[in-house]
Amino acid sequence: MNSIKKVLKKDFPPLLREICDPPEHIYIRGDFPLGEYKYLTVVGSRRFSDYGKQAVDTLIEGLRGLPVVIVSGLAYGIDARAHEAALRAGLKTIAVPGSGLNDDVLYPKENLRLAQNILESGGVLMSPFESDLPAAPWTFPERNRIMAGMSHATLVVEASLITSRLATDYNRDVFAVPGSIFSSKSAGPHQLIRSGATPITCADDLVEALGFNPAAARIVAETTLNSMPDSERTVWDALSEPLDRDALIGKTGLSASAVNAALSMLEIRGLIEELLGQICRK
């Protein structure tokens, strides 16, 4: 699925061509999105807190319907959560692992299914390394350089200062999510804010920092939901509270087959999940 292609510098994402030390070539699976997009790199702790998880989910959901591409490193923690949140919000996402792109070396192997979901959604896997190169300690700084260089801005959620320093070196914007003063995970973002990074305290902050109008963005997001087929929107509206399938059929008045078809599409879109027999919005 999605053969690996070698891409020369002239065909890089525009900002990546502009850095002082671009690679001679990169490898990709999938195709870069066409048109004008803002690229946002999202980085953070591999061991995130519930607060960090909620922050990523909320902020990226706030970008729904906007021409934004979420870039991250496919790693455990905030990286994987950022990709998953982008998929749920219907945004393009690009994963830059610290390895080659062959399935047998893709790092981490536990996120291979996530990588496949990214490709199936029209996203991209991207690497500066030969396709069969396993991850190693030296590959991650190079991966971080690529993520910082290709993006208009970097958002830091709970730690991870390396990529943000690179973003500063490349004259890119750096955003940071403030955290609890009692959490060691907040030290990195707070240091960045003291150094001039833009604090991001809500989705509107992020939308505005990326150059969009928050009020207009909310209209776009609502329009995106309104573009669902009638049966999907009926089921979506009914899931304002968790329901089992029988209750959902009764509440919507749709046939069982129509509800199941709508649920399948909503699940593919990453909008719902089923937990202990209860279907709920993500």
Side-chain angles (χ1 to χ4, degrees):
M1 180 179 66
N2 293 91
S3 60
I4 298 172
K5 295 171 284 192
K6 185 176 182 178
V7 178
L8 301 180
K9 194 183 305 182
K10 65 182 179 66
D11 296 317
F12 286 3
L15 290 182
L16 187 58
R17 296 197 298 264
E18 297 175 6
I19 64 174
C20 59
D21 50 355
E24 289 301 313
H25 55 263
I26 55 176
Y27 297 91
I28 68 170
R29 293 171 66 178
D31 295 295
F32 291 121
L34 300 176
E36 294 294 324
Y37 284 87
K38 285 290 183 75
Y39 284 64
L40 175 67
T41 286
V42 180
V43 293
S45 174
R46 294 192 176 197
R47 295 184 178 180
F48 57 79
S49 67
D50 287 342
Y51 169 79
K53 176 176 68 174
Q54 186 177 5
V56 169
D57 290 352
T58 300
L59 294 175
I60 292 180
E61 174 60 32
L63 301 175
R64 178 184 291 274
L66 295 178
V68 176
V69 176
I70 300 299
V71 179
S72 200
L74 198 69
Y76 302 112
I78 292 295
D79 284 22
R81 194 73 189 188
H83 293 305
E84 291 164 352
L87 293 175
R88 288 193 295 272
L91 301 176
K92 299 291 186 183
T93 186
I94 296 177
V96 189
S99 67
L101 299 182
N102 282 349
D103 283 352
D104 57 348
V105 300
L106 196 68
Y107 183 87
K109 63 181 181 180
E110 290 80 1
N111 285 345
L112 178 58
R113 180 63 245 179
L114 173 58
Q116 293 167 342
N117 289 342
I118 289 170
L119 291 173
E120 289 167 3
S121 74
V124 180
L125 304 184
M126 171 179 167
S127 175
F129 310 119
E130 294 295 328
S131 302
D132 59 353
L133 182 75
W138 66 269
T139 62
F140 292 97
E142 178 70 7
R143 177 275 302 272
N144 294 339
R145 183 172 73 88
I146 297 297
M147 293 196 303
M150 71 186 293
S151 295
H152 295 83
T154 291
L155 173 67
V156 180
V157 184
E158 295 190 331
S160 187
L161 300 185
I162 297 174
T163 307
S164 62
R165 291 193 184 106
L166 288 165
T168 301
D169 291 343
Y170 294 145
N171 197 31
R172 308 288 193 254
D173 290 329
V174 176
F175 310 145
V177 176
S180 168
I181 62 173
F182 304 108
S183 171
S184 61
K185 296 181 184 297
S186 303
H190 290 174
Q191 180 182 328
L192 289 172
I193 292 169
R194 289 194 299 273
S195 300
T198 301
I200 301 296
T201 62
C202 62
D204 280 359
D205 283 353
L206 181 57
V207 170
E208 189 169 11
L210 288 170
F212 301 105
N213 181 298
R218 286 192 290 273
I219 293 172
V220 170
E222 183 61 27
T223 300
T224 300
L225 289 175
N226 286 337
S227 67
M228 291 179 181
D230 289 345
S231 59
E232 290 177 37
R233 185 57 195 250
T234 298
V235 170
W236 171 260
D237 289 342
L239 289 173
S240 56
E241 58 180 345
L243 296 170
D244 61 32
R245 287 178 185 260
D246 288 342
L248 184 57
I249 291 168
K251 185 173 182 179
T252 61
L254 298 173
S255 67
S257 60
V259 167
N260 288 332
L263 289 174
S264 295
M265 291 306 301
L266 291 170
E267 188 173 9
I268 289 171
R269 291 172 186 261
L271 296 174
I272 62 168
E273 60 186 343
E274 186 168 356
L275 300 172
L276 301 176
Q278 296 286 301
I279 302 163
C280 56
R281 297 179 182 179
K282 284 189 176 180

